[in-house]
């Protein structure tokens, strides 16, 4: 990861660690970050984003708990291998992304219908 692909809006009511987790998770799940890609160190990403290292560390811990990254002392954090077959973890990752999106949409003032319409639009014409 050469440049910070993550942006944090410190004026958002969504906590910065959730913003980092959601953005990195999306980059990994969509393949923009591939297995073995090295993530910036906690300290480097915190500096780049103007955040406390603990904030980035929390996001990394949650990504590791979700099985999206692996961290080894002295070797840093890297994108983990995708599961060989769909697992329950996939469902929990999807639920975490949905919760993050729903929370952010509610903060914007969106009601249930607006949130569902946005999801349908994002899925494409075959879901309308």
């Amino acid at each position: 990861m050469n440049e910070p692909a993550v942006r944090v809006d410190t004026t958002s009511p969504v906590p910065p660690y959730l913003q980092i987790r959601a953005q990195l998770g999306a980059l990994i799940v969509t393949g923009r970050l591939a297995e073995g890609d090295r993530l910036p160190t906690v300290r480097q990403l915190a500096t780049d984003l103007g955040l406390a290292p603990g904030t980035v560390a929390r996001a990394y811990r949650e990504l590791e708990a979700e099985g999206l990254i692996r961290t080894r002392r002295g070797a840093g954090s890297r994108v983990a291998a995708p599961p060989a077959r769909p697992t329950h973890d996939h469902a929990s990752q999807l639920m975490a992304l949905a919760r993050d999106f729903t929370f952010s949409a509610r903060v914007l003032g969106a009601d249930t219908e607006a949130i569902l319409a946005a999801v349908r639009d994002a899925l494409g014409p075959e879901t309308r």
Side-chain angles (χ1 to χ4, degrees):
M1 214 171 132
N2 296 336
E3 64 181 76
V6 175
R7 304 281 184 253
V8 172
D9 178 1
T10 56
T11 64
S12 170
V14 177
Y17 83 92
L18 284 177
Q19 294 179 50
I20 295 166
R21 187 189 81 195
Q23 290 176 51
L24 285 175
L27 291 170
I28 293 167
V29 170
T30 60
R32 291 188 57 209
L33 287 176
E35 176 186 353
D37 283 353
R38 187 177 182 134
L39 299 179
T41 65
V42 166
R43 186 172 290 144
Q44 182 61 56
L45 187 56
T47 299
D48 291 348
L49 297 174
L51 299 171
T55 301
V56 176
R58 182 171 179 184
Y60 278 24
R61 279 193 307 272
E62 291 196 8
L63 289 166
E64 189 164 25
E66 292 175 29
L68 295 175
I69 67 171
R70 64 182 186 283
T71 302
R72 287 192 0 228
R73 188 174 186 94
S77 298
R78 294 185 180 271
V79 176
R85 59 189 188 318
T87 65
H88 178 64
D89 289 338
H90 182 69
S92 68
Q93 292 169 12
L94 184 58
M95 180 58 78
L97 290 169
R99 272 194 307 267
D100 291 347
F101 169 74
T102 303
F103 177 79
S104 297
R106 293 272 188 223
V107 167
L108 292 173
D111 63 11
T112 300
E113 285 307 311
I115 293 170
L116 291 173
V119 170
R120 282 189 210 97
D121 287 346
L123 289 171
E126 66 276 358
T127 61
R128 291 187 198 125

